[in-house]
Each structure stands twice: as C-alpha cells, then as structure tokens.
Amino acid sequence: EPSLHLPAPKGVEVYSYNFHSLLRWSPVPVQGGSVLYTVHYRTGAFPQWQQLNCTRIPQTHCVFPPLLQKRRWTLFLRVRAELGHSTSPWAECGPFVAEHHTILGPPRVNSVSASFNSLAISVTPPFTPERGEVLQYRVLYWENTTRTTEKELRERGTLLQMGNLKESTLYCFRVRVELERDDKKLLLGQPSGPECHRTALS
C-alpha cells in the first residue's frame, strides 16, 4: 500500500542523447533514513508493467538497459520512492519513442580541405544509423563579411563539398544531421559550432 507520508517522485522524464536514454527524477526529500527508488516499464505492445534493472536504488536516474534501447518501441515508465516498509505512489512518464524524442548531437568535423573555389568537409556521424535509417547532412555556410547571405547544402555522404566559392575568401559553416526513415523526416540534429576556413588562391 502506498504511504501517505512518502510523496511520489517529481520531475520524472526521459533524457535521451544519440539514442542513449535514461529516466531521471528529482530526489524525494525525507527526514531520517535514505530513500530508495524502483523503476518499472511497459511497452505499447504489452500492457503489463515489468521490472527494470533499477530496483531499490539510491540514485535518481536509471539508465536504459540494451533491451530497451530500441529506437521504434513505445515505452512507458514509472518510478516510486521506498523508505523502510513505506512506498510512495507511482509517478509515470511516457509515451517515449527514441526515434522521435532523442536529441541528435552534431556531427564531428574531421578535416576541411580548400581549393580556390571550394571547401570539402569530412565528417563523422554522431551515431551509427540502423538498417532502414538514412542520415542527411545539412551544411549552412556563408561568406564571412558584414552582409551574410546563408546558403544550404544537403548531402547523404560524409564528404561534403561547398562549390562555386570565391577564391582567397573566408567562409564559415555549421553542419547538422537529419534522420530519415522510409523517406520520412524524423529528427533534426543540433548544429556543430561555426568553423571558418579560407579558400585558396588560384
């Protein structure tokens, strides 16, 4: 039976970055004794609650095990506080679907090579796409002058070439990824920090 004196955890949310997910919540304040927490989950396909790998833990977060790192599953989660024989009511969270709700980080820029009229950027994706997923890279670039006109380049490969540039001119860019599945756009990632490089002299 839930105890009237032990409140349910608040601020319960899933935090997910590049498909690595965890459930987190605010600590339940009590005087005397240390509060422990238990987490359960269920999927959209099976309505029964099941134990996660977080039973009577002192931490205020629970990392998803590999079993739950499925990008297309619909997940519901719940957590309760426990103190001695007292338990709080459950606090629920969801639905969570990783391929719609994770935060995609920026790609890593490995190198930039310049010619007199182009810049070629080599990038590494922020995560490994699964079968059926496609990553599109979006490069926003501009001439580093007071009048900045931004242009956009979209590529599916990890070598991105900005062409038709002026020689010996400083250009700046940011890169981000867009995740697609079956030609549907799912998520737009965070942009990389701006980098500036000069084209060569012909």
Side-chain angles (χ1 to χ4, degrees):
E1 280 297 299
S3 164
L4 297 174
H5 308 297
L6 197 56
K10 287 191 167 70
V12 182
E13 62 174 3
V14 175
Y15 175 73
S16 183
Y17 188 80
N18 290 336
F19 296 104
H20 296 286
S21 308
L22 58 84
L23 185 72
R24 61 187 183 184
W25 56 91
S26 301
V28 172
V30 294
Q31 292 184 336
S34 55
V35 176
L36 301 174
Y37 303 95
T38 293
V39 179
H40 287 178
Y41 78 94
R42 66 180 176 87
T43 66
F46 297 100
Q48 292 84 13
W49 289 102
Q50 300 179 65
Q51 286 194 353
L52 208 53
N53 54 337
C54 299
T55 301
R56 297 183 65 77
I57 59 165
Q59 298 89 355
T60 55
H61 67 269
C62 175
V63 177
F64 287 19
L67 164 75
L68 290 192
Q69 301 279 6
K70 302 281 193 281
R71 300 183 181 180
R72 304 179 80 177
W73 280 17
T74 301
L75 293 174
F76 298 86
L77 298 111
R78 68 181 187 180
V79 58
R80 75 179 180 191
E82 301 175 8
L83 181 64
H85 295 297
S86 301
T87 58
S88 77
W90 291 100
E92 293 190 21
C93 172
F96 168 78
V97 182
E99 74 172 9
H100 295 300
H101 300 127
T102 198
I103 298 165
L104 299 183
R108 189 173 80 238
V109 176
N110 302 316
S111 63
V112 179
S113 50
S115 74
F116 74 93
N117 67 350
S118 70
L119 290 173
I121 314 165
S122 163
V123 296
T124 301
F127 62 93
T128 305
E130 291 186 343
R131 208 170 75 190
E133 294 177 345
V134 174
L135 278 184
Q136 180 164 255
Y137 294 88
R138 293 170 60 164
V139 185
L140 206 63
Y141 64 98
W142 61 95
E143 199 179 318
N144 191 28
T145 60
T146 48
R147 300 187 308 280
T148 53
T149 306
E150 294 183 339
K151 295 184 179 174
E152 189 174 60
L153 166 75
R154 297 181 180 215
E155 291 281 350
R156 290 196 168 174
T158 54
L159 189 63
L160 317 168
Q161 183 138 357
M162 298 176 281
N164 296 322
L165 306 182
K166 299 178 189 169
E167 63 177 279
S168 190
T169 302
L170 194 62
Y171 285 88
C172 302
F173 64 85
R174 296 173 185 269
V175 193
R176 66 204 315 187
V177 294
E178 188 167 59
L179 179 65
E180 300 176 2
R181 183 193 287 283
D182 307 324
D183 292 329
K184 286 195 192 114
K185 292 180 176 27
L186 297 174
L187 286 169
L188 185 61
Q190 298 172 324
S192 62
E195 279 195 38
C196 300
H197 295 264
R198 190 175 293 279
T199 52
L201 200 58
S202 62

